[in-house]
Amino acid sequence: MADRDVSSLFADYRYYGVFENRQDLSNLDNAHGLIRRPEIYGDEQYNGQRDWSRSRFDERSYDHIVAVSQAGAEHIARRLDRVAWDGWRCHVLSEKGRPFAVVMTKTGRELEFDGRLRVRWSKSDLMIRLPDEPSWSAEETDVDSALPAMAALVRQRRERHRAELTAGWALFRDPVDVLDLGSAYAVAVEPGGNTALPLDEHEAARLVPRLVVRNARRTAELIDGHHYLAVFDSLQDCAAVGTARSLVRCTPDEEHWELFVGDDEWPPTTRPYLEHTLPIGRPDLAEVIGKLASVTRNFDVISPSLGCVAHVELAPGERPGLALRQWRDRPTWYVRDRW
């Protein structure tokens, strides 16, 4: 599980396997849950068959939550796909040949999917009613084979509510991808012949900044041997580099991090795990540096053994003084923004 992308700030998601016992951690097949984290919050758990929902797992509970690579996450997801509906029967219900629901049944329990994404499965009595509905038919299949029908139900439901969904279109590379809004690759004003879903305001407000960050991560370029990342107060701010409140850079292996303090001064800093970051290219780099040079900034100088040894305020046009430069003679010291 020790791949670079376990903790990379350039990965689409950070993934975590959920285990019941510490002794299970060495084998991914022992995981009973999978979490993806798109930013510094918003954990989602995998329920099988491309179904992601808000995570119920708690790092303070009995569960052991461990970072895994993307390959490890795909391995766990395949296992959860196999066990999620173990013992259930799956039927695609149609009316006059047109599918209108996918129904799962198991010993007195019945759940249906009708195209809603936020509440994926709801209680159902459709199979009980089936004998009394002459225009209905049911085709038994396995849940993986039912995914195209489920995706079609999502598109049909969205089309019925088209007048309410006016915030743009999420674009997808594969028709089944519509089951997971997080797999969209763009948001556009019009569908343009692509596999697409119309969005409401809440969905678009959540998805657009995520895609800005994701696409920037995927296309991140090295500038003179470093990756540069602007730091923001919120995910929404990432859409406008001029709102950046800080700037960091790292080596290609993400092992060494430095903080921009002004006048081409780049002292060591910590990896910005709990910050909203956006990889930027050379044109945006100049804009962010210019913006930061025009505002008053505050810094803490940190000694691993002594803690904070200095608070420094740097006004626009002011060059870093001795207090901010003392890290040069103390290789274990570092500097971070003070908020």
Side-chain angles (χ1 to χ4, degrees):
M1 293 188 288
D3 294 87
R4 176 194 166 193
D5 69 346
V6 165
S7 59
S8 174
L9 294 186
F10 298 89
D12 288 355
Y13 296 97
R14 285 178 239 175
Y15 292 98
Y16 301 86
V18 185
F19 301 81
E20 289 188 356
N21 303 297
R22 188 173 297 277
Q23 57 266 33
D24 292 339
L25 301 182
S26 61
N27 188 345
L28 292 178
D29 287 333
N30 293 325
H32 70 91
L34 175 64
I35 295 170
R36 72 180 182 185
R37 180 175 296 167
E39 288 86 37
I40 62 175
Y41 58 82
D43 287 4
E44 299 169 334
Q45 71 179 48
Y46 188 60
N47 305 305
Q49 282 69 45
R50 309 199 187 198
D51 179 9
W52 294 89
S53 63
R54 178 176 294 183
S55 176
R56 70 174 186 274
F57 296 114
D58 187 344
E59 294 183 22
R60 295 168 296 180
S61 72
Y62 66 89
D63 293 307
H64 296 277
I65 299 176
V66 180
V68 298
S69 67
Q70 181 173 338
E74 291 171 354
H75 179 94
I76 296 173
R78 287 192 295 269
R79 178 178 177 276
L80 295 177
D81 285 341
R82 293 193 299 270
V83 304
W85 294 102
D86 189 33
W88 291 75
R89 298 176 65 185
C90 177
H91 292 82
V92 178
L93 269 63
S94 301
E95 182 173 21
K96 297 180 179 178
R98 183 181 178 86
F100 68 89
V102 173
V103 179
M104 306 297 296
T105 56
K106 179 181 181 181
T107 319
R109 295 184 63 194
E110 182 176 325
L111 300 172
E112 70 174 89
F113 175 80
D114 64 0
R116 288 176 293 175
L117 291 178
R118 292 181 185 172
V119 182
R120 186 65 60 101
W121 296 95
S122 57
K123 291 183 179 180
S124 173
D125 63 356
L126 295 177
M127 293 300 290
I128 296 174
R129 294 165 51 193
L130 179 63
D132 300 322
E133 300 287 348
S135 63
W136 292 9
S137 61
E139 177 186 357
E140 185 164 9
T141 184
D142 62 86
V143 67
D144 285 326
S145 299
L147 292 181
M150 294 170 64
L153 291 174
V154 172
R155 293 191 293 272
Q156 291 170 20
R157 184 178 183 86
R158 295 276 168 145
E159 188 58 36
R160 291 197 300 271
H161 295 271
R162 180 69 188 90
E164 307 162 22
L165 305 172
T166 59
W169 294 78
L171 308 184
F172 302 87
R173 302 193 187 283
D174 186 279
V176 178
D177 287 346
V178 301
L179 293 170
D180 172 22
L181 283 181
S183 65
Y185 69 86
V187 172
V189 176
E190 296 292 341
N194 299 281
T195 298
L197 286 184
L199 300 172
D200 63 27
E201 295 289 344
H202 172 79
E203 291 169 335
R206 190 163 179 257
L207 186 57
V208 169
R210 277 191 177 185
L211 291 177
V212 169
V213 173
R214 183 185 304 169
N215 291 334
R217 289 170 177 170
R218 291 179 176 180
T219 59
E221 61 184 32
L222 285 172
I223 302 175
D224 300 328
H226 290 88
H227 285 298
Y228 288 77
L229 297 92
V231 182
F232 299 86
D233 285 320
S234 71
L235 177 64
Q236 286 68 30
D237 287 344
C238 293
V241 294
T243 62
R245 61 171 171 79
S246 186
L247 176 66
V248 296
R249 70 183 183 186
C250 67
T251 51
D253 60 6
E254 299 181 59
E255 290 296 318
H256 303 285
W257 291 81
E258 298 173 334
L259 173 68
F260 174 71
V261 299
D263 197 31
D264 203 32
E265 188 85 9
W266 291 88
T269 193
T270 53
R271 179 190 293 258
Y273 274 122
L274 300 179
E275 305 283 358
H276 294 285
T277 59
L278 178 75
I280 57 176
R282 197 177 295 274
D284 289 335
L285 176 61
E287 179 179 349
V288 172
I289 287 177
K291 186 262 185 179
L292 295 177
S294 69
V295 298
T296 297
R297 301 174 65 203
N298 291 274
F299 305 95
D300 289 334
V301 181
I302 308 294
S303 161
S305 58
L306 301 175
C308 182
V309 296
H311 300 304
V312 180
E313 181 179 280
L314 201 63
E318 184 180 358
R319 301 183 65 181
L322 180 61
L324 199 54
R325 297 200 310 269
Q326 57 187 318
W327 63 271
R328 295 179 178 179
D329 300 320
R330 298 168 176 84
T332 62
W333 288 23
Y334 59 93
V335 178
R336 65 187 180 196
D337 288 287
R338 184 185 182 199
W339 310 112

